[in-house]
Amino acid sequence: MYKVGVFPGKFLPPHRGHLLQIINASTKCEMLYVVISDNTNTTKKICEESNIKIMDLKSRLKWLSIELQNFDHIKIVTLDETNIPEYPNGWDKWVDLLNKSIPTPFDITYDGIDVIFGGEEEYREMYKKYFPNAAYEVFDYNRTRYPISGTEIRKNPYKHWDYILGSVRSHFVKNILITGTESCGKTTLVKYLAKIYHTSWVEEVGRYYAERFLGGTEEVYTIEDFERITIQHREEEYKAIRTANKVNFIDTDATVTQYYLNLYLNENSDFIDKFIDSTRYDLVIMLKPTVKWVDDGMRYNSEQNLREQLHEKLKNMYLNKGFKILEIGGNYSDRLDEIIKIVDEMLDK
């Protein structure tokens, strides 16, 4: 068994093939260091070319730390290669950074790196040159168990979803906000969509808040209550994203909470404003009040002209905050069919 091994890589993103390699390598060492190497400029370029959110170094460190947190003999460190020549140049400087990134273990005698693990044969000659006393092992070069690469995942993460680690999936989840005024069918539609796509969804926290915290008495609402709704809703979003299957459906957002605060208390909250983010959602669908108004005991604005006025008020709140909105009307069936088509096209791209 080796004393100290290193497994360097960019992990853009970490996938099941990486995890299998890391686990296999850890069985051969007293201490294995997984080294996440990063050039911020290159990473930005790679992600933008793939039309995906940037997978920065901190995110990759978090993802691998979550996956490997219960293994004391596996440590994760980072190596910032932004300021050295890009591969295949700058090997001497990269090796110096690698050596500096490995902390001296306290429970074993450290005489340098004993083995380097990798997934590519092309590095063998250079590792042999710069680490003459270290072995170089390539595991599962042909990717027999997990026939996948980071490049393939970046090109189409939804096609290769099963190969993406659980800790990483939230990075690729498409968050779709379904919004609108009262009695537009948001709640039922969001649940339908979540069932169809076998994924998570976020309920409108404000819909049940009075029943849960105010004894069912809406007349006692305060600004603080609306601010608490905002916080709780954001937390529910976070939970849903972590368990989502490619796409996550969200019933309303902080803009709607601000809208109801203004509607019922004639107030605005700077605190709620901080939660309104036009970049948070991949798609914002606003339902028009074109379905029958249904009295569920929590609604007040049944007159159609008023419904349309309030729709415009909420829409303008979104537009003023820089949101891009897709308005959808029609009956319940037409809406469902249209949104399914939109979501399918989004995932196919």
Side-chain angles (χ1 to χ4, degrees):
M1 177 175 281
Y2 301 108
K3 286 185 178 179
V4 177
V6 298
F7 188 109
K10 288 185 170 57
F11 305 102
L12 272 170
H15 53 69
R16 296 206 172 279
H18 288 137
L19 192 60
L20 176 62
Q21 290 176 308
I22 291 169
I23 290 173
N24 180 272
S26 73
T27 65
K28 301 178 180 182
C29 306
E30 293 182 37
M31 182 67 71
L32 176 68
Y33 289 96
V34 178
V35 183
I36 307 174
S37 184
D38 183 63
N39 180 312
T40 55
N41 300 321
T42 303
T43 298
K44 184 174 185 291
K45 180 181 178 181
I46 288 173
C47 293
E48 288 179 346
E49 288 175 348
S50 300
N51 195 30
I52 58 176
K53 291 185 292 185
I54 295 174
M55 294 178 280
D56 58 30
L57 183 59
K58 187 174 290 186
S59 294
R60 283 173 276 157
L61 175 60
K62 178 182 71 174
W63 296 333
L64 281 173
S65 296
I66 290 172
E67 297 291 341
L68 300 168
Q69 62 183 332
N70 296 319
F71 303 107
D72 294 336
H73 62 297
I74 303 176
K75 303 296 182 184
I76 306 169
V77 296
T78 59
L79 188 160
D80 186 354
E81 56 183 65
T82 302
N83 297 317
I84 66 173
E86 292 188 32
Y87 176 83
N89 302 311
W91 264 93
D92 53 342
K93 295 180 180 179
W94 187 87
V95 168
D96 183 56
L97 290 174
L98 177 63
N99 283 317
K100 290 178 180 178
S101 71
I102 308 300
T104 303
F106 295 104
D107 55 347
I108 61 177
T109 303
Y110 181 62
D111 297 319
I113 297 171
D114 297 301
V115 60
I116 299 171
F117 298 95
E120 306 289 346
E121 281 290 345
E122 66 180 281
Y123 301 134
R124 184 180 294 279
E125 184 177 336
M126 296 306 291
Y127 279 131
K128 185 176 180 180
K129 175 182 177 180
Y130 286 101
F131 297 94
N133 297 321
Y136 180 63
E137 291 197 11
V138 176
F139 174 71
D140 197 18
Y141 177 72
N142 294 317
R143 300 169 179 159
T144 54
R145 186 175 183 86
Y146 296 115
I148 195 64
S149 68
T151 302
E152 291 172 300
I153 290 175
R154 292 194 301 272
K155 286 181 179 179
N156 194 333
Y158 310 106
K159 178 181 178 181
H160 304 296
W161 191 256
D162 289 342
Y163 293 117
I164 302 175
L165 296 177
S167 61
V168 183
R169 288 178 177 175
S170 61
H171 185 80
F172 296 102
V173 167
K174 292 295 186 183
N175 290 294
I176 299 179
L177 173 63
I178 308 293
T179 189
T181 56
E182 66 179 24
S183 196
C184 280
K186 300 184 300 296
T187 300
T188 302
L189 178 60
V190 164
K191 291 179 181 179
Y192 281 161
L193 290 167
K195 295 297 182 181
I196 291 168
Y197 287 92
H198 189 55
T199 190
S200 54
W201 76 91
V202 180
E203 290 187 306
E204 181 183 1
V205 171
R207 179 174 177 81
Y208 308 103
Y209 184 88
E211 180 180 341
R212 292 172 179 171
F213 300 103
L214 304 178
T217 307
E218 296 184 352
E219 290 79 4
V220 298
Y221 266 119
T222 66
I223 293 180
E224 182 181 354
D225 290 311
F226 284 94
E227 291 174 345
R228 289 188 65 205
I229 288 170
T230 304
I231 296 171
Q232 290 181 26
H233 191 89
R234 179 57 56 86
E235 184 63 24
E236 291 304 311
E237 283 189 18
Y238 177 70
K239 291 177 183 177
I241 291 170
R242 291 184 64 187
T243 59
N245 176 28
K246 302 179 185 179
V247 62
N248 178 42
F249 297 98
I250 302 155
D251 183 352
T252 74
D253 70 329
T255 309
V256 173
T257 308
Q258 187 80 284
Y259 159 83
Y260 278 116
L261 171 61
N262 181 259
L263 184 64
Y264 294 123
L265 297 185
N266 197 29
E267 297 278 1
N268 286 284
S269 166
D270 292 337
F271 178 83
I272 296 176
D273 243 4
K274 295 176 181 178
F275 286 80
I276 299 175
D277 180 4
S278 63
T279 67
R280 184 170 178 81
Y281 308 103
D282 298 281
L283 176 64
V284 179
I285 294 175
M286 187 169 188
L287 302 180
K288 295 180 179 180
T290 54
V291 294
K292 182 180 178 181
W293 186 87
V294 178
D295 186 2
D296 65 354
M298 301 175 64
R299 296 166 179 164
Y300 305 98
N301 305 295
S302 61
E303 204 276 321
Q304 186 60 27
N305 287 337
L306 179 57
R307 294 178 73 194
E308 293 173 0
Q309 291 174 20
L310 293 175
H311 172 81
E312 291 300 316
K313 173 184 173 70
L314 178 59
K315 182 175 75 171
N316 287 330
M317 289 179 67
Y318 278 111
L319 295 178
N320 290 337
K321 290 295 184 178
F323 283 83
K324 294 181 179 179
I325 297 172
L326 175 62
E327 289 185 272
I328 292 181
N331 58 39
Y332 295 117
S333 180
D334 292 339
R335 290 175 172 187
L336 181 63
D337 290 343
E338 185 173 353
I339 293 174
I340 288 174
K341 181 180 179 181
I342 292 169
V343 175
D344 285 349
E345 290 177 351
M346 175 184 288
L347 296 179
D348 285 343
K349 289 180 181 180

